[in-house]
Amino acid sequence: MNLTLKVWRQKNSNTPGRFETYQARNVIPDMSFLEMLDVVNEDIIARGEDPIAFDSDCREGICGMCSLVISGIPHGGHRGTASCQLHLRHFKDGDTVTIEPWRAKAFPIIKDLITNRSAFDRIIQAGGFVSVNTGGTPDGNALPVPKTDADRSMDAAACIGCGACVAVCKNASAMLFVAAKVSHLNLLPQGKAEKDRRVLNMVKQMDSEGFGNCTVTGSCEAVCPKEISLSFIAKMNRDYGVAILKGR
Ligand code: SF4
Ligand code: FES
């Protein structure tokens, strides 16, 4: 199959960007979207030009590095699917596909399709951890965890930190990401000691990074490759309210 690609090219954050048109010729439907970009880059390199810069690592939906807005939708709009898991069989021969980076003030463009998502790292550093004394491995049964809490915590922990929720949001809100990271620890007994401090510090860091407010449109949940539920935002808001009241 053949595709026409309109790809955002931008040298760095200080240089204006533009769409460039490329042809993906004789690509096969079972290729992943990133493999198709590899093939296009081989052609570009053979012509002596600068290849398209894009992020990837695991290429199996685990690491959160792939970050492409494909025809206007972060990760391309297939439920529970990261850009690296998207296959060309979802496109038609002859389609024109636009490829852009995440667009949010808190994610400045580094080059082409690569953005700087270290704002997420700083939010995690503000509270996305538990402080424990190191020592011998404790008995697995020493700290009982209700099954419902364990399941819900695991659902939140599935967040891969890709940033699609920010990219799709009209307010560039990071609430779904932060809610997932706060909740996966706050739900467990191991996370209780730092529960209040965690939610206050992570929300404070989120605000200082320039992410917008949540107006509950739900677009974040719709594009999230791990289908993180909006209900975690409600849970984080409750944890935040309780922490504020306790502080008073
Ligand atoms: S909540 Fe979903 S979309 Fe947002 S960073 Fe986590 S995995 Fe990505
Ligand atoms: S490259 Fe790791 S999630 Fe896509």
Side-chain angles (χ1 to χ4, degrees), residues 87-159:
H87 287 87
L88 299 188
R89 55 180 169 268
H90 294 296
F91 299 87
K92 290 198 296 292
D93 186 30
D95 272 357
T96 297
V97 182
T98 60
I99 311 174
E100 300 170 76
W102 286 175
R103 296 193 190 278
K105 190 175 74 177
F107 290 160
I109 289 180
I110 296 174
K111 187 178 178 186
D112 296 341
L113 305 170
I114 299 180
T115 54
N116 182 345
R117 286 171 280 167
S118 55
F120 271 12
D121 298 333
R122 290 187 289 275
I123 293 171
I124 296 293
Q125 284 162 7
F129 51 82
V130 289
S131 304
V132 291
N133 292 327
T134 54
T137 310
D139 187 326
N141 294 326
L143 195 58
V145 182
K147 175 83 167 73
T148 48
D149 289 351
D151 286 351
R152 194 137 164 75
S153 173
M154 282 302 290
D155 287 347
C159 166

Side-chain angles (χ1 to χ4, degrees), residues 33-35 37-38 41 52-59 63-68 75 82-84 99-102 107-118 161-162:
F33 201 81
L34 300 190
E35 285 169 334
L37 284 179
D38 290 338
N41 269 345
I52 301 160
F54 65 94
D55 257 334
S56 77
D57 191 355
C58 71
R59 297 196 174 202
C63 73
M65 286 304 288
C66 57
S67 46
L68 303 175
H75 293 308
S83 304
C84 59
I99 311 174
E100 300 170 76
W102 286 175
F107 290 160
I109 289 180
I110 296 174
K111 187 178 178 186
D112 296 341
L113 305 170
I114 299 180
T115 54
N116 182 345
R117 286 171 280 167
S118 55
C162 62

Side-chain angles (χ1 to χ4, degrees), residues 2-5 21-25 36 39-40 43 47 95:
N2 298 304
L3 298 173
T4 300
L5 309 180
T21 303
Y22 299 94
Q23 300 302 325
R25 289 195 185 89
M36 182 266 296
V39 168
V40 170
D43 285 348
R47 292 198 300 270
D95 272 357

